[in-house]
């Protein structure tokens, strides 16, 4: 049986106590650290969508669409029109005020009403 005055036990308890103190200090530092990445709006990217689709709780619809994107069949910014049904994660992401959903592609300039002419004729 180990006696309370055993130096080996006392050293083991001291090491464990020091480790717990370091953990508590690290936790306090992490909890008080500002998170600049999460207080500014961020763009939703294909990489973010792949990460969400790879989470264990991702919907079957999102995983199926990720497979289609991976196969080159479509792009992430087309998910609302090419995925039937639209994965529930899409609505959640669009409601998040700190996320900027995929921007629509830039509009093409309006067609010129003038017929094309060859300048040298």
């Amino acid at each position: 049986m180990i006696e309370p005055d055993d130096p080996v036990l006392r050293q083991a308890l001291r090491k464990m106590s020091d480790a717990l103190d370091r953990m508590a200090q690290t936790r306090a530092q992490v909890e008080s650290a500002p998170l600049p990445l999460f207080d500014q709006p961020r763009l939703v990217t294909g990489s973010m969508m792949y990460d969400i689709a790879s989470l264990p709780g991702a919907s079957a619809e999102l995983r199926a669409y990720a497979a289609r994107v991976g196969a080159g069949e479509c792009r992430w910014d087309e998910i609302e029109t090419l995925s039937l049904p639209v994965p529930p994660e899409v609505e959640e992401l669009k409601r998040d005020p700190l996320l900027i959903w995929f921007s629509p592609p830039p509009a093409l300039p309006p067609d010129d009403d003038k017929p094309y002419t060859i300048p040298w004729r």
Side-chain angles (χ1 to χ4, degrees):
M1 181 157 181
I2 300 175
E3 295 294 325
D5 292 336
D6 186 347
V8 174
L9 177 61
R10 191 176 304 276
Q11 182 181 10
L13 288 172
R14 190 175 310 117
K15 280 185 176 183
M16 188 173 69
S17 177
D18 291 346
L20 291 171
D21 288 344
R22 285 192 306 276
M23 283 177 41
Q25 183 180 11
T26 301
R27 179 179 180 172
Q29 289 172 344
V30 168
E31 287 177 347
S32 68
L35 297 174
L37 293 178
F38 299 108
D39 65 354
Q40 298 292 322
R42 298 181 306 157
L43 290 172
V44 173
T45 63
S47 175
M48 179 189 293
M49 295 302 291
Y50 269 120
D51 290 344
I52 294 169
S54 67
L55 293 172
S59 68
E61 296 88 355
L62 187 62
R63 289 178 188 205
Y65 195 80
R68 291 174 61 193
V69 172
E73 182 182 327
C74 48
R75 297 187 323 250
W76 281 110
D77 61 346
E78 301 169 317
I79 192 169
E80 291 180 282
T81 55
L82 297 181
S83 180
L84 292 174
V86 175
E89 291 90 345
V90 170
E91 264 318 302
E92 292 176 36
L93 293 170
K94 289 180 76 175
R95 278 195 308 258
D96 189 327
L98 291 179
L99 291 176
I100 301 168
W101 189 247
F102 293 105
S103 300
L108 296 174
D111 287 340
D112 192 357
D113 291 338
K114 299 177 187 175
Y116 290 102
T117 58
I118 300 173
W120 59 83
R121 287 193 184 197

